[in-house]
Amino acid sequence: MKYEIYSETSHRLLFTLFDSSKARKTDMYRVHHHPELELGYICRGEGDYILENESYTAEPGCMFLIRANEQHCVPTIYTPTLDSFNIYITSYYIWNVCAEYIEPRRLSLLIGQNGSIPHRFAGKHEVFEQIIELAPHNELRFELKRLLLRLILDLTDRFEPTADATSEHGVLLRMNEIQNAILYINENLTESLTLDQIARQANLSRSHLSTLFRQATGVTPYEYLILQRIEKSVELLRDSKLTILGIAQECGFRNLANFNKTFKKVTGMTPSDYRTSKQK
């Protein structure tokens, strides 16, 4: 199941909750990355987890933190299935909600790739298990927001901030503009977007947008656009009967060759291989 939690005031997406069950198989699951911060909690089963070329043990009760654009996959499952619960956290939630309670230097480590942070947290996490229990109840979304903030506070307390907070202060001041850029990209994935067009929507210069966008999300505007297109194509490959060419066009790729090349670069598989693996 998939649950999306929105802001009551701005109506913008804050975070997405969903459960996942992976069956044991011989071929490797797709190596992938995405533009959101991800928290994954292992509910049942055992396996291996690869994150940024480091190998970790996945077992019940452990949590993984994956920053934007970090490559990860599950190459091996030792039990019949590996069941997890995952949270995709938008930059809007990070910079508009968490920033009121967490210093920018720590948030910078959470979002960007600069600085070293732990990725695996062993032992049962009561807060995460409460989130899993409440996720199906939309009427409890305020409690879900509170619990996620509490979880992020706990995580960032374990970080050793080293970055200068000056640049992050600029992100906080211009977060509305950055979110306008993100919304414009999300609403126009099939268009041939240019950096100039995105910058105009944000009322920022090209260079200023690029700098602030990367500080806020961990990726550039172009990387964000590509990752969102690939995520959309993954859903269509899995759930629709469109041809691969049709999916490429539906997701804003100019031609099939460009789609195949980009999809493999992001996921480690060709679109046809991915669709075949899901059909099996």
Side-chain angles (χ1 to χ4, degrees):
M1 297 294 292
K2 184 177 181 181
Y3 317 94
E4 294 181 335
I5 306 299
Y6 290 84
S7 166
E8 296 295 320
T9 53
S10 69
H11 306 293
R12 288 173 171 169
L13 180 64
L14 299 178
F15 51 90
T16 303
L17 310 163
F18 63 98
D19 47 23
S20 172
S21 181
K22 299 178 176 65
R24 183 168 55 194
K25 55 191 291 188
T26 56
D27 56 324
M28 182 179 289
Y29 286 93
R30 68 182 181 104
V31 178
H32 63 287
H33 51 104
H34 39 74
E36 299 92 359
L37 171 71
E38 178 182 356
L39 296 177
Y41 188 74
I42 306 300
C43 301
R44 288 169 295 277
E46 296 180 359
D48 294 328
Y49 204 99
I50 301 294
L51 175 54
E52 289 291 278
N53 297 319
E54 291 288 334
S55 180
Y56 302 90
T57 299
E59 57 189 1
C62 71
M63 178 172 62
F64 290 95
L65 187 158
I66 304 102
R67 296 184 289 191
N69 223 17
E70 289 186 331
Q71 299 268 11
H72 54 285
C73 76
V74 178
T76 311
I77 295 176
Y78 301 111
T79 49
T81 62
L82 183 67
D83 301 329
S84 64
F85 194 91
N86 309 283
I87 309 175
Y88 281 179
I89 305 169
T90 66
S91 58
Y92 183 86
Y93 182 80
I94 294 294
W95 292 108
N96 286 271
V97 178
C98 298
E100 294 187 33
Y101 307 94
I102 304 171
E103 61 178 321
R105 291 185 302 164
R106 294 180 185 274
L107 289 183
S108 179
L109 285 173
L110 194 65
I111 291 290
Q113 280 76 49
N114 295 325
S116 176
I117 64 170
H119 286 97
R120 182 184 184 275
F121 301 86
K124 282 195 172 184
H125 293 264
E126 293 183 3
V127 176
F128 211 127
E129 294 191 346
Q130 290 178 51
I131 291 174
I132 295 172
E133 183 179 350
L134 297 182
H137 305 285
N138 189 54
E139 69 277 10
L140 299 176
R141 57 190 177 277
F142 293 108
E143 181 66 7
L144 282 169
K145 295 174 188 176
R146 185 190 71 80
L147 287 171
L148 181 58
L149 176 61
R150 181 179 165 190
L151 182 60
I152 293 175
L153 280 166
D154 176 64
L155 290 174
T156 53
D157 279 345
R158 310 184 192 198
F159 298 166
E160 291 296 332
T162 57
D164 183 1
T166 305
S167 59
E168 285 75 22
H169 181 66
V171 171
L172 292 172
L173 292 177
R174 307 309 295 267
M175 198 60 217
N176 282 338
E177 288 88 342
I178 296 168
Q179 286 302 322
N180 286 337
I182 290 173
L183 286 174
Y184 182 71
I185 292 172
N186 290 344
E187 293 171 356
N188 296 275
L189 290 179
T190 60
E191 305 297 325
S192 298
L193 297 181
T194 66
L195 185 58
D196 284 328
Q197 290 173 313
I198 301 170
R200 280 198 296 271
Q201 293 296 318
N203 198 28
L204 295 170
S205 68
R206 288 164 45 108
S207 60
H208 200 187
L209 171 66
S210 296
T211 300
L212 292 177
F213 197 100
R214 187 172 185 86
Q215 290 172 353
T217 68
V219 294
T220 67
Y222 179 74
E223 288 171 335
Y224 181 86
L225 170 63
I226 294 301
L227 290 172
Q228 291 294 73
R229 285 176 172 174
I230 293 300
E231 286 299 317
K232 181 178 180 181
S233 70
V234 164
E235 292 181 7
L236 292 175
L237 286 166
R238 184 181 62 235
D239 302 328
S240 80
K241 295 183 179 180
L242 287 173
T243 65
I244 292 179
L245 176 59
I247 291 173
Q249 295 170 337
E250 184 75 14
C251 296
F253 291 94
R254 294 189 301 273
N255 54 64
L256 187 57
N258 180 252
F259 175 52
N260 286 333
K261 179 180 178 181
T262 305
F263 191 94
K264 187 170 184 178
K265 181 178 179 180
V266 173
T267 70
M269 303 173 69
T270 65
S272 59
D273 287 343
Y274 178 77
R275 170 169 270 180
T276 300
S277 70
K278 288 303 176 183
Q279 289 172 344
K280 288 181 181 178

